[in-house]
Amino acid sequence: MKKRNKQKFSEFLQQNGNDVENVENQHWETTQRGKFFMIEIPSQILKLEINNNEKIILGLIYKINHIGGAVLMSNKRIAEYLSLTENTVSKTLKSLLYLTFIEKQTKGYVLSEEVHEAINSSKERAISIPFEVFHSDLPSGAKLLWGEYNSLSKGERVYFASRKYITERLRISPSSISNYTTLLYDKQFLVTNELFSGYKFKKRAVITKKFNRKPINTEKEK
């Protein structure tokens, strides 16, 4: 059979009455399911001595592997989905491969056995980052911090852990925590950001924004 490229395929569809836009929009992350996707980052990944972009991309690979598959997305697709540059995604994947945290197989990217074992050995709380947060223009550190806040707040309760605790858990500096918290509040990802202080007492209380989700219409996506 003679092989023909994507342009020829699009022309063939047009000639036979199909909508060509569907060819460009066939990736899962552009569907309603993709917009309801949650990146999950286990505590063992949070504590790794790697940068924030690496943690988020590692979390993406972990979650997709966990629900039953390797990551087949191109660097461009990952970049668009996570609101990162394609160059950043390329460098991050190369770094994770070099560190042996992930492996590139014929079916796509998967976590290494080393990382799987580390994750399975811990029962500490993971964080989840929804599409509305990871697809935003927030710095990756702010996205991780929102996930930490929401892991206990869930848009209903007050999160009040100390900056020291957050620093040890996320490997984010105290000054960055303050800056990211202000940014999250200014961008309306937090509904409450209050500082309480007195004699030998200082606590910051935050409540995350809750994202309401309608049931996924699976029939429409088929």
Side-chain angles (χ1 to χ4, degrees):
M1 180 183 293
K2 182 180 179 181
K3 292 184 178 180
R4 287 184 270 183
N5 60 25
K6 188 175 181 179
Q7 182 180 348
K8 292 292 184 182
F9 179 58
S10 298
E11 292 172 357
F12 179 79
L13 290 179
Q14 279 185 311
Q15 292 166 4
N16 289 273
N18 293 78
D19 184 0
V20 179
E21 289 184 2
N22 290 334
V23 180
E24 303 298 333
N25 193 33
Q26 58 185 327
H27 301 314
W28 69 272
E29 69 272 15
T30 63
T31 66
Q32 187 183 20
R33 188 175 298 279
K35 291 178 173 61
F36 283 7
F37 186 80
M38 302 275 282
I39 289 176
E40 185 177 346
I41 309 179
S43 61
Q44 294 304 100
I45 290 179
L46 292 175
K47 293 180 178 180
L48 291 173
E49 294 289 348
I50 56 179
N51 66 44
N52 297 326
N53 291 328
E54 290 168 337
K55 290 179 182 179
I56 287 179
I57 290 180
L58 204 54
L60 174 70
I61 295 172
Y62 166 77
K63 183 59 181 288
I64 293 177
N65 288 175
H66 187 66
I67 59 179
V71 177
L72 298 169
M73 302 163 72
S74 66
N75 290 358
K76 182 179 180 181
R77 283 174 60 193
I78 294 174
E80 290 174 349
Y81 197 44
L82 302 182
S83 291
L84 298 171
T85 66
E86 193 171 344
N87 186 50
T88 295
V89 171
S90 177
K91 288 182 178 179
T92 299
L93 289 172
K94 287 178 181 177
S95 175
L96 293 173
L97 285 167
Y98 176 78
L99 293 168
T100 69
F101 291 157
I102 63 173
E103 299 172 1
K104 189 173 184 180
Q105 301 179 351
T106 54
K107 294 182 179 180
Y109 292 105
V110 296
L111 291 186
S112 67
E113 286 299 320
E114 172 192 2
V115 175
H116 268 300
E117 289 176 5
I119 291 171
N120 292 335
S121 68
S122 175
K123 295 183 179 180
E124 290 185 65
R125 171 171 42 90
I127 69 171
S128 294
I129 308 174
F131 175 84
E132 291 87 347
V133 176
F134 69 70
H135 189 66
S136 72
D137 62 358
L138 290 168
S140 292
K143 296 175 183 180
L144 292 171
L145 183 59
W146 188 93
E148 169 61 18
Y149 285 154
N150 192 65
S151 64
L152 293 178
S153 173
K154 302 188 186 305
E156 298 174 354
R157 303 170 57 192
V158 173
Y159 181 104
F160 54 86
S162 68
R163 288 196 303 177
K164 180 181 178 182
Y165 170 82
I166 298 172
T167 294
E168 292 175 352
R169 181 164 156 81
L170 302 185
R171 305 289 191 234
I172 296 176
S173 69
S175 60
S176 292
I177 292 170
S178 296
N179 293 336
Y180 290 153
T181 301
T182 300
L183 180 61
L184 287 168
Y185 184 71
D186 290 345
K187 294 279 189 177
Q188 300 183 337
F189 288 100
L190 301 178
V191 296
T192 299
N193 176 28
E194 298 285 346
L195 181 63
F196 297 85
S197 62
Y199 180 66
K200 292 186 177 180
F201 176 83
K202 190 174 184 179
K203 282 288 184 182
R204 183 173 297 280
V206 303
I207 300 176
T208 53
K209 178 179 179 178
K210 181 183 287 188
F211 298 102
N212 295 319
R213 299 290 177 77
K214 297 178 181 178
I216 296 177
N217 186 349
T218 54
E219 289 300 320
K220 187 175 180 181
E221 291 188 4
K222 287 181 180 180

